[in-house]
Amino acid sequence: MFPDLSKLTGVYTPVKRSIDYGKGHMRGLLIHLHNHDISATFTKSRRAAYLGLLSVLVFSVSWIVGVILDGTWAYGINYLSDLGVSPVFGARVAFTVGCIAAGVGFVAYSYSVMKTCPRPLVKLTYLLSIVCGICLIGVGTFNEGTLLHYPFALTLGGFAIAAIVISIGDDLIEHKHESALKTALIFLVSVISLVGTRQFAEATAVIALMTW
């Protein structure tokens, strides 16, 4: 009346083993893909960090070279953009190349971070940073005294302030109080520099932004 299950044992055991093997293989594959994704994200983040540092380095070196070649530029007396209209050709080239190269690098760096970080405020911070990078390219392309120079320069400053404030807010939400404090101190230095000349405030704010 009842089927003889013993006859099915020879069929059932291999099938079960095949199913178990398939589950184990799939689990291993998912773990591999997960680890590979984390590794790829880490690699992209590290490359982005190097690119950001390189952008700061390029701008800093170009600034120093421009000052040396110009010979008359003085901290707190001249605007950075004065190097772009220097009577010395090499100083003008150094400033222009530095702004454009650093701007391109900063855009690439900010875009890379924006893609890999899931937090909305961080994405917004680096979206604003992309605009800052584009404006830096504009500052280098359109020299002081031209029609488009000042809109690019003012937009760069305004969006940089917004990015810093949003970054502080994100750090506080994520309970990264040490990071928020460091960013706030950098912002405070920029604000305090306003008690000096506008030229002094501009140069100090740029240094603070590069430090950030």
Side-chain angles (χ1 to χ4, degrees), residues 180-198:
L181 179 60
K182 290 178 181 178
T183 306
L185 288 175
I186 290 172
F187 181 69
L188 183 61
V189 168
S190 300
V191 173
I192 293 175
S193 70
L194 293 172
V195 301
T197 63
R198 285 182 294 178

Side-chain angles (χ1 to χ4, degrees), residues 27-38:
R27 189 181 300 112
L29 179 61
L30 291 174
I31 292 173
H32 171 74
L33 291 174
H34 177 69
N35 291 337
H36 177 74
D37 183 62
I38 292 175

